[in-house]
Amino acid sequence: MAVKGLGQIDQEYDGSNLKVGILHARWNKEVIDALVEGAQKRLLELKVKPENIIIESVPGSYELPFASAAMIKKHKLDVVIPIGVLIKGSTMHFEYICDAVSKALMDLQFKIGVPVIFGVLTCMTEEQAQARAGLIPGKMHNHGEDWGACAVETALKWSP
Ligand SMILES: O=Nc1c(NC[C@H](O)[C@H](O)[C@H](O)CO)[nH]c(=O)[nH]c1=O
């Protein structure tokens, strides 16, 4: 059953030949765990083999770009889903990390020729993050599922 969401999948893809990386930061663990689980669930629904879903972690979102590049090479991935949760604090730290990480992840896929899905939540509050991980019943769906579907579609449709 397709995930209800803004980026609804357009067909049921067969990901059985794909190797997918999930690289998650370790800040905001409860939300991260839900997002990773949602991405995994969707990947399996789209026939990615469990043994072809490689999961690694980094300390924080700032490490996602560098480690994504290394992970793609280390595991010869067809696509990678970097997952992070950034929540605004009382300083400008949030803005600088969000800007740097989003630009670096976007650029990485052109440099390396492998799709890099944007799985970083940039939230003003903890509640916003929880809602986007499907942790508040009746409020939004788990965005990790969207990212899993996006990873399979992009890798199958657009990878060279
Ligand atoms: O500060 N807040 C956050 C954060 N900071 C750590 C940063 O990503 C990095 O790991 C360190 O600066 C070391 O390089 N990392 C997150 O994923 N979410 C946050 O909300």
Side-chain angles (χ1 to χ4, degrees), residues 39-79:
Q40 259 182 304
K41 170 176 169 279
R42 199 74 183 104
L43 290 172
L44 293 168
E45 286 171 355
L46 291 172
K47 304 187 182 71
V48 178
K49 297 186 179 84
E51 63 269 28
N52 286 340
I53 301 174
I54 316 295
I55 301 179
E56 305 248 20
S57 72
V58 290
S61 295
Y62 186 82
E63 283 72 44
L64 289 173
F66 180 81
S68 290
M71 192 180 180
I72 287 167
K73 290 175 196 147
K74 177 181 171 185
H75 296 289
K76 295 180 177 50
L77 299 175
D78 296 302
V79 56

Side-chain angles (χ1 to χ4, degrees), residues 49 136 139 150:
K49 297 186 179 84
I136 301 178
K139 249 190 153 185
C150 178

Side-chain angles (χ1 to χ4, degrees), residues 30-31 121 125-136 139:
E30 183 200 15
V31 178
L121 294 184
T125 64
E126 170 77 24
E127 188 186 19
Q128 282 182 353
Q130 289 181 344
R132 286 154 183 76
L135 292 173
I136 301 178
K139 249 190 153 185

